[in-house]
Amino acid sequence: MDMRDQQHYMMEPIAYIRTAFPAKFGIPRQSGFVPQLKGRVIFRPGCRNADVLRGLEEFSHIWLIWVFSENIRARWSPTVRPPRLGGNQRKGVFATRSPFRPNPIGLSSVRLEGIDWETPEGPQLLVSGADLMDQTPILDIKPYIALSDSHPDALCSFAGPAQEHRLTVAIAPQLLVKLPEEYREALFEVLALDPRPAYQNDPERIYGFAFAGREIRFKVSENVLTVVAIEKT
């Protein structure tokens, strides 16, 4: 027996991220879809050293390697049902970005907006376009290198741009003022990308998700998403 089959690798998070999403529902399906979403990467004590970030400010984008901490299960399935296919078609787990994987590891490309060098918790990364839930553990950070990481001619199957659709978003002014101004543009983009699973299309159903300390409630009819309530959580 190959001894490599017996190996296990122990990993500890180096950081966690702060975002406006305390729960999974509502988070964009991929990183970069909503560049207005801001996040802050906060390092754990063992990595709160400015030297580990030396030179990172010379890059515009970075890769975050993280843990699907809310989707850890004892078992996994070789096939999954991607929501973008209506939940009716199965694909091999390695042909999707499903969180239900043999190893619950996620990968996101985000823009590095800057580094806050002076905080009580050490240097922190300011990022945008993240598709991570608040408090998600970060395993590693690597610079994005366009020469090797960008493939404009890549074939993307069911995840290609043609499969994405946008909704018209309607929010009454008296509701919008209940959300801090810094989050409003991001909310419009999150809603326009339609956070519902593709197999749910009930015009009378009220959906809701937590965002920036508020509960956002909405319904969708035809191609129009209407926010019906914004309440503090």
Side-chain angles (χ1 to χ4, degrees), residues 110-222:
V110 299
R111 174 176 285 276
L112 179 61
E113 300 287 352
I115 301 177
D116 189 349
W117 296 99
E118 302 292 338
T119 83
E121 298 171 301
Q124 298 178 4
L125 305 183
L126 309 178
V127 301
S128 62
D131 57 339
L132 284 73
M133 192 173 72
D134 189 47
Q135 303 291 331
T136 294
I138 307 295
L139 294 175
D140 200 5
I141 296 168
K142 298 179 185 294
Y144 177 97
I145 301 174
L147 179 64
S148 59
D149 296 347
S150 177
H151 303 280
D153 59 343
L155 181 65
C156 300
S157 183
F158 65 89
Q163 298 300 321
E164 292 300 328
H165 68 284
R166 292 179 64 87
L167 301 175
T168 298
V169 178
I171 307 179
Q174 63 268 27
L175 293 180
L176 190 58
V177 295
K178 296 182 178 182
L179 184 71
E181 186 174 359
E182 62 187 288
Y183 295 107
R184 294 174 190 173
E185 187 178 0
L187 177 63
F188 270 97
E189 282 299 305
V190 168
L191 295 173
L193 290 174
D194 195 353
R196 303 171 302 161
Y199 52 83
Q200 293 183 1
N201 192 28
D202 180 358
E204 300 302 319
R205 179 168 178 172
I206 303 295
Y207 300 86
F209 63 93
F211 177 75
R214 307 294 191 275
E215 179 73 12
I216 313 297
R217 297 189 179 278
F218 66 92
K219 61 181 180 179
V220 181
S221 179
E222 299 295 336

Side-chain angles (χ1 to χ4, degrees), residues 87-107:
N88 299 316
Q89 298 183 45
R90 284 195 172 274
K91 296 287 185 179
V93 66
F94 296 141
T96 76
R97 296 195 174 185
S98 167
F100 306 108
R101 321 185 68 79
N103 293 305
I105 297 173
L107 178 69

